[in-house]
Amino acid sequence: MWYAQNPGRAARQLAGDLALLAWVTTWAFGAAVLHQLAGGIAARLSAAGPASWWRLLPKPAQDMLSLVDPVQWPHLVTAAGLAVFLLASVPAIGWWVPRRMRWHRRASAANALAASEDGRELLALRALMRPLDDVGRTATLTGATPGRLAEGWRDADPATLEALAGAELRRLGLGGASTTEH
């Protein structure tokens, strides 16, 4: 399960995935363009010979380029393009992918728990462990206060267990309304 059943959360997840894909693709394209441009310039400079173009460069550039053998310029250009891509893409990937994987693990575990009676009791307990203002608000029972919900859970009241388990599933985006947690 890679996307929530809740349409709002699924749309946010898909938008985030597409935004990451667009970001990485844009920087990959930019790095490729940089590589092509720099490679073309390096090839022209090498073909023209140092006497014709060296004098046109500012002194700091002459000093810097004299440190690199012209044979190594293609490697330097490739490394620069790769560095641009990695510096822009890795932080975004490192931020988004763990969030999505965490949601995937939680949603898969919740679906597996929801399939059994004991699992639904665990989901209900998880719902009870939420902040107190969330507990009474998310469970869909008339007069559902945190104390009454805890009592219903202890007594294994089927309606209470179902309401609490359903609230936990909705919180994860696996049906009904959901909160904003990814």
Side-chain angles (χ1 to χ4, degrees):
M1 164 166 284
W2 290 102
Y3 291 96
Q5 295 166 346
N6 174 279
R9 177 173 280 187
R12 288 189 305 274
Q13 289 171 333
L14 181 60
D17 291 350
L18 291 175
L20 178 66
L21 180 62
W23 179 263
V24 170
T25 302
T26 299
W27 282 103
F29 179 75
V33 168
L34 172 69
H35 179 267
Q36 290 296 323
L37 289 173
I41 291 169
R44 285 190 191 107
L45 293 178
S46 293
S52 64
W53 57 269
W54 196 267
R55 293 183 310 263
L56 301 174
L57 295 175
K59 178 70 171 137
Q62 289 177 9
D63 293 342
M64 187 174 76
L65 286 176
S66 67
L67 297 175
V68 179
D69 181 9
V71 174
Q72 297 298 320
W73 287 350
H75 301 295
L76 184 62
V77 167
T78 299
L82 185 60
V84 165
F85 171 72
L86 292 175
L87 287 172
S89 298
V90 168
I93 292 168
W95 179 78
W96 184 250
V97 170
R99 291 170 55 99
R100 291 289 285 128
M101 293 307 296
R102 184 172 46 248
W103 181 87
H104 170 70
R105 283 191 313 272
R106 288 177 182 171
S108 296
N111 270 338
L113 287 173
S116 70
E117 186 63 34
D118 291 343
R120 294 200 62 86
E121 286 184 32
L122 285 173
L123 286 172
L125 177 60
R126 173 84 170 125
L128 281 174
M129 301 306 291
R130 307 290 306 153
L132 290 178
D133 56 336
D134 285 351
V135 174
R137 186 177 59 238
T138 58
T140 55
L141 284 176
T142 306
T145 64
R148 286 188 182 161
L149 291 170
E151 181 181 338
W153 179 81
R154 278 192 307 271
D155 294 341
D157 175 47
T160 302
L161 292 174
E162 187 62 32
L164 288 168
E168 185 62 14
L169 290 171
R170 281 190 304 279
R171 187 186 69 77
L172 290 168
L174 302 177
S178 173
T179 63
T180 59
E181 185 178 322
H182 293 284

